[in-house]
Amino acid sequence: EAGVTQFPSHSVIEKGQTVTLRCDPISGHDNLYWYRRVMGKEIKFLLHFVKESKQDESGMPNNRFLAERTGGTYSTLKVQPAELEDSGVYFCASSQGSGFKSYDEQYFGPGTRLTVT
Amino acid sequence: QKEVEQDPGPLSVPEGAIVSLNCTYSNSAFQYFMWYRQYSRKGPELLMYTYSSGNKEDGRFTAQVDKSSKYISLFIRDSQPSDSATYLCAMSPDDKIIFGKGTRLHILP
């Protein structure tokens, strides 16, 4: 079974440009998460989709970031316009969603390394 | 105060040694305590998770949670060069995960 995939693996853009990151979750997983790690910091939560709905977007840094999940399948994260501080590794994760009192494991993709110059 | 504190290392130990990794946290609402392993250019991979306090063992790995002290540990017995990676402690009050910075571990052959 294919894992979580992310595209591109690396993106270098100039400040002010727009970049769109894509995440394809594991087939059948209702939950999709975006996280980000900036240099020297811990991985931080950005937002959580349940199917096509945003369940929690409390970690989104500002309105330059827009996440969508069309039809509850793949998700995109757009940064417009990009700033230098947006550089980092963006991880996507997906989980099945148990609905029970047990841990719903999140499976992570390899990440997209974004460099804003 | 950060929610989760983890010494970033690096930590170098000889092959076969016992490795001890740990984290402290501040939020009493955390219910799930996890350890992830991350190899270079890869995403984090779940090693073990524990619900509430106690110990959990899986092969050479043992996870411990002490909620009274807000302290969690991961022990690796008979460490192997293939265990060289970054180990991230992580905690969850609900669906999102709160990560520590990660400890870079090197097992020397």
Side-chain angles (χ1 to χ4, degrees):
Chain A
E1 180 182 322
V4 176
T5 57
Q6 293 187 244
F7 183 83
S9 58
H10 192 186
S11 179
V12 181
I13 61 171
E14 292 183 354
K15 176 182 170 180
Q17 290 186 321
T18 297
V19 63
T20 299
L21 314 181
R22 173 171 170 143
C23 169
D24 286 80
I26 293 172
S27 177
H29 280 193
D30 286 341
N31 294 291
L32 188 148
Y33 304 82
W34 283 98
Y35 293 84
R36 176 176 75 169
R37 181 170 195 156
V38 297
M39 181 86 74
K41 303 282 189 181
E42 62 274 15
I43 298 172
K44 284 198 168 177
F45 167 83
L46 295 179
L47 89 159
H48 169 204
F49 283 100
V50 178
K51 297 184 180 178
E52 67 274 9
S53 300
K54 290 176 186 173
Q55 179 79 9
D56 180 356
E57 51 185 330
S58 61
M60 294 288 263
N62 52 60
N63 59 11
R64 295 185 293 103
F65 289 75
L66 175 65
E68 294 180 323
R69 190 180 183 193
T70 309
T73 55
Y74 71 91
S75 174
T76 57
L77 180 65
K78 182 161 72 173
V79 185
Q80 178 183 30
E83 298 289 345
L84 298 179
E85 64 265 25
D86 301 332
S87 296
V89 183
Y90 290 75
F91 292 103
C92 174
S94 72
S95 70
Q96 193 163 23
S98 64
F100 296 97
K101 196 72 172 176
S102 63
Y103 184 62
D104 185 30
E105 181 177 351
Q106 294 183 27
Y107 296 84
F108 282 78
T112 293
R113 185 173 299 271
L114 175 65
T115 302
V116 183
T117 62
Chain B
Q1 182 187 11
K2 282 189 176 296
E3 283 195 284
V4 179
E5 296 276 5
Q6 183 176 12
D7 186 338
L11 178 64
S12 297
V13 300
E15 182 177 356
I18 295 174
V19 176
S20 172
L21 305 170
N22 52 73
C23 291
T24 58
Y25 65 94
S26 58
N27 189 343
S28 301
F30 291 143
Q31 294 291 333
Y32 287 99
F33 302 88
M34 294 84 75
W35 285 94
Y36 282 81
R37 180 174 60 195
Q38 186 177 18
Y39 293 111
S40 182
R41 305 290 179 178
K42 302 285 187 182
E45 174 190 23
L46 181 66
L47 262 181
M48 299 177 71
Y49 78 90
T50 308
Y51 178 71
S52 194
S53 279
N55 295 358
K56 189 170 186 178
E57 189 173 318
D58 184 1
R60 296 184 294 110
F61 298 87
T62 299
Q64 290 184 349
V65 175
D66 181 349
K67 290 191 81 174
S68 62
S69 302
K70 295 191 175 68
Y71 187 89
I72 73 169
S73 301
L74 178 71
F75 298 95
I76 307 173
R77 291 182 299 281
D78 188 24
S79 55
Q80 304 294 310
S82 59
D83 294 331
S84 297
T86 296
Y87 289 80
L88 304 118
C89 63
M91 300 162 200
S92 183
D94 42 46
D95 291 325
K96 66 185 173 202
I97 297 173
I98 313 296
F99 284 95
K101 274 191 174 183
T103 299
R104 287 172 55 202
L105 174 65
H106 300 285
I107 307 299
L108 307 170

